[in-house]
Amino acid sequence: MNNEIIEEAYGSIFEAALIEEIASVAKLVEFKEGEVLIDIGKYIKTMPLLINGAIKIMREDFDEGELLLYFIEKGDTCAMTLACCMGDKKSEIRAVAETDGLVAMIPVHYMESWLGKYQTWRAFVFMSYDNRFNEMLAAIDNIAFMNMDKRLYHYLLETGKINSSQTINKTHQEIAYELNSSRVVVSRLLKALENEGKIKLNRNNIELLKVEE
């Protein structure tokens, strides 16, 4: 069963021999929306390969607030987790389930041995670092150069894309927390976006009316 699940998610990326090894050592873990999968300050002994669902990667600031860095989806892993695994360091990120899903957890020591054994694994690891690095640069650019209203709308679009839905089931306070802002500011900007015809504010959710950025 493990082999079929890994094959479906990663068969287009890894060769058959590596798929078999992953299936033989991986522990499949189901997770629920909102569950903390990796926490700040904890040692990481396994690395995640996401089978399905979505996970958001958060960074804690000095005031104990949080900032969304990026999402990982099916076929992804977390580059910051890889770095902590290889350096035997405590985690500097928090991974929180954005949706229900399934992840294959790989013991750390296999990651290093596969780097020398499988070319597809090396390519996957390097590509993951590159993708996550670019996403973190985009997050920094958003903070440094993008107005809060644009950051908010970008966040809504990205959340809708990750969840494959035009409906965002988050409170104003939850959005403010992830954008490291205040509920009052977020509520005001959401109302402005509604007046522009980009979203519709409902009692328990936010509906995207336009998907273009």
Side-chain angles (χ1 to χ4, degrees):
M1 179 61 73
N2 276 18
N3 197 297
E4 293 176 2
I5 293 173
I6 302 297
E7 172 71 29
E8 193 277 330
Y10 290 90
S12 63
I13 302 173
F14 302 139
E15 62 261 59
L18 178 53
I19 292 291
E20 289 183 10
E21 279 209 55
I22 293 173
S24 68
V25 304
K27 178 181 180 182
L28 296 182
V29 178
E30 293 184 345
F31 56 83
K32 297 295 184 181
E33 179 183 346
E35 185 176 346
V36 177
L37 305 176
I38 298 171
D39 210 353
I40 295 168
K42 304 294 185 181
Y43 283 103
I44 299 174
K45 301 301 181 183
T46 56
M47 62 160 291
L49 294 178
L50 194 56
I51 305 299
N52 57 57
I55 299 171
K56 56 190 175 186
I57 306 301
M58 315 288 291
R59 184 80 163 89
E60 195 171 71
D61 67 17
F62 295 112
D63 297 321
E64 297 186 353
E66 287 186 321
L67 180 67
L68 176 66
L69 294 180
Y70 53 80
F71 290 97
I72 59 174
E73 302 176 81
K74 176 181 176 180
D76 286 340
T77 190
C78 175
M80 297 188 73
T81 301
L82 293 175
C84 291
C85 286
M86 295 188 71
D88 193 28
K89 300 185 299 183
K90 291 182 180 180
S91 173
E92 296 181 358
I93 55 95
R94 178 174 290 122
V96 181
E98 175 72 10
T99 67
D100 295 352
L102 180 68
V103 67
M105 303 303 292
I106 312 295
V108 172
H109 64 273
Y110 287 102
M111 192 188 85
E112 295 192 39
S113 66
W114 289 344
L115 284 173
K117 189 174 182 180
Y118 296 108
Q119 187 276 332
T120 56
W121 180 256
R122 289 196 301 275
F124 174 73
V125 169
F126 294 145
M127 181 183 68
S128 296
Y129 275 121
D130 186 59
N131 289 343
R132 301 292 87 82
F133 179 72
N134 287 333
E135 287 173 340
M136 283 190 288
L137 285 181
I140 292 169
D141 286 346
N142 285 345
I143 296 169
F145 306 118
M146 191 178 289
N147 293 334
M148 187 60 197
D149 57 342
K150 293 181 179 178
R151 281 183 61 201
L152 175 59
Y153 189 48
H154 176 82
Y155 166 88
L156 294 174
L157 292 174
E158 188 68 14
T159 302
K161 176 184 174 184
I162 289 294
N163 289 278
S164 300
S165 174
Q166 297 295 100
T167 302
I168 311 298
N169 294 305
K170 290 181 180 291
T171 67
H172 295 193
Q173 183 59 59
E174 288 172 331
I175 295 172
Y177 189 71
E178 294 190 1
L179 292 178
N180 205 10
S181 185
S182 71
R183 183 193 59 78
V184 173
V185 169
V186 166
S187 295
R188 175 173 57 80
L189 293 176
L190 285 171
K191 188 63 180 177
L193 288 173
E194 183 176 49
N195 292 337
E196 293 174 19
K198 294 181 177 180
I199 64 171
K200 179 182 179 183
L201 297 176
N202 301 314
R203 180 178 294 273
N204 297 313
N205 58 55
I206 300 164
E207 184 181 350
L208 289 169
L209 300 180
K210 295 181 180 180
V211 296
E212 74 278 8
E213 296 197 52

